[in-house]
Amino acid sequence: LTLAVSVAPLDLEPAGGVLIVLHDVTELRRLERMRREFVSNVSHELKTPLTSIQAYAETLLSGGLEDDANNRKFVERIQEQAERLQTLILDLLRLARIESDEVAFEIRAVDVGDIVLDCVRDRQDLATAKGLSLVTKSPDGPIMATAEAEGLSTILSNLVDNAINYTPSGGRVEIEWSQPGEEVVISVTDTGVGIPLEHQPRVFERFYRVDRARSRELGGTGLGLSIVKHLVHAFRGRIELESQQGRGSRFTIWLPAGESETRSLPRS
Ligand code: ADP
């Protein structure tokens, strides 16, 4: 508990007095600390690729490299690090947009199957190249959720990209969706490295990674799951993680169901 104290003299006759007010500022301090940590994390994340870019550029300019092949390699490294910066900035902007109260999502009934299949189509080649099978499972007919199409697409892309990134060759990634009741359930399951129990509650925090070096190597920003969580909550849904180290992970999302256009037409 953190208390702030304000004291004011009171003009009470005949003895006078003081007014003491105690404010509970625990939550305020916690928010301030979180903000400071966030700014320090962002600065660090921006500094790392910038330092590399500077070092590569300096080496090239110093003329120490006569070898064309080597020069090319250095320019490629500069490009990689610039791409890293760009991904990070795009993720930060996305997170800021979702967290801002002013943003209005265009929430309506969206066809989950359409969005999942688009996301899978874009990643099929990558999965095959990595020796993974990327499969979908759903009942016949459309499953409609109440969400924003672009946001749902971001949620799925982040979850499927993680599943592909953290699953070794020979593994399997499955996306399943259905509507058992008033809610739509979508799950992304992989047979990958899994997340140790003690890390599970924290992976949705901004910049939290189980293995920092591995995430960096894979081009991760550490913001993906935080973006996913915020979007799911913006759509009045919830998300859960089940995972076993070395066995795989499953992320499950529940979203309010949406009325399909064809279903809402009056029957003739
Ligand atoms: P990143 O950009 O590092 O992937 P995320 O916010 O998407 O950041 O995920 C946070 C961390 O959670 C990752 O660094 C990784 O350690 C862990 N993680 C996320 N998804 C998976 C998964 N499917 N399998 C194993 N670990 C995962």
Side-chain angles (χ1 to χ4, degrees), residues 156-227:
L156 287 164
S157 308
N158 279 330
L159 293 179
V160 175
D161 283 343
N162 279 348
I164 293 176
N165 278 337
Y166 298 105
T167 303
S169 176
R172 177 184 162 91
V173 174
E174 182 176 295
I175 305 138
E176 185 177 1
W177 65 101
S178 63
Q179 189 191 332
E182 293 296 296
E183 286 177 311
V184 169
V185 188
I186 311 169
S187 64
V188 178
T189 310
D190 65 60
T191 57
V193 297
I195 301 170
L197 200 61
E198 67 271 25
H199 292 280
Q200 290 180 18
R202 300 204 60 190
V203 289
F204 294 97
E205 290 174 19
R206 296 182 288 200
F207 293 120
Y208 192 85
R209 289 121 151 173
V210 176
D211 182 340
R212 189 164 285 268
R214 183 183 208 142
S215 154
R216 281 250 171 79
E217 207 180 280
L218 295 165
T221 61
L223 293 174
L225 286 180
S226 169
I227 292 173

Side-chain angles (χ1 to χ4, degrees), residues 50-194:
L50 265 180
T51 311
S52 309
I53 290 176
Q54 230 163 5
Y56 288 126
E58 262 168 32
T59 317
L60 280 172
L61 282 175
S62 69
L65 297 157
E66 299 303 321
D67 178 347
D68 263 359
N70 236 343
N71 284 354
R72 194 182 163 78
K73 214 158 56 192
F74 272 53
V75 175
E76 279 168 5
R77 297 278 178 279
I78 291 180
Q79 193 180 29
E80 269 166 29
Q81 296 301 319
E83 270 167 22
R84 218 183 121 67
L85 275 177
Q86 193 177 34
T87 315
L88 181 63
I89 289 166
L90 286 178
D91 271 0
L92 281 169
L93 287 174
R94 191 175 274 149
L95 197 59
R97 180 176 165 265
I98 301 166
E99 282 188 332
S100 119
D101 290 334
E102 287 146 37
V103 54
F105 289 103
E106 281 189 45
I107 295 180
R108 57 167 72 113
V110 293
D111 190 326
V112 175
D114 280 353
I115 296 175
V116 174
L117 294 175
D118 270 353
C119 165
V120 168
R121 200 175 310 120
D122 290 345
R123 288 159 179 80
Q124 200 69 61
D125 290 346
L126 174 70
T128 310
K130 277 199 69 182
L132 299 175
S133 62
L134 179 57
V135 293
T136 59
K137 194 170 158 193
S138 68
D140 288 336
I143 300 282
M144 307 298 287
T146 304
E148 186 206 46
E150 197 192 321
L152 184 55
S153 172
T154 304
I155 291 172
L156 287 164
S157 308
N158 279 330
L159 293 179
V160 175
D161 283 343
N162 279 348
I164 293 176
N165 278 337
Y166 298 105
T167 303
S169 176
R172 177 184 162 91
V173 174
E174 182 176 295
I175 305 138
E176 185 177 1
W177 65 101
S178 63
Q179 189 191 332
E182 293 296 296
E183 286 177 311
V184 169
V185 188
I186 311 169
S187 64
V188 178
T189 310
D190 65 60
T191 57
V193 297

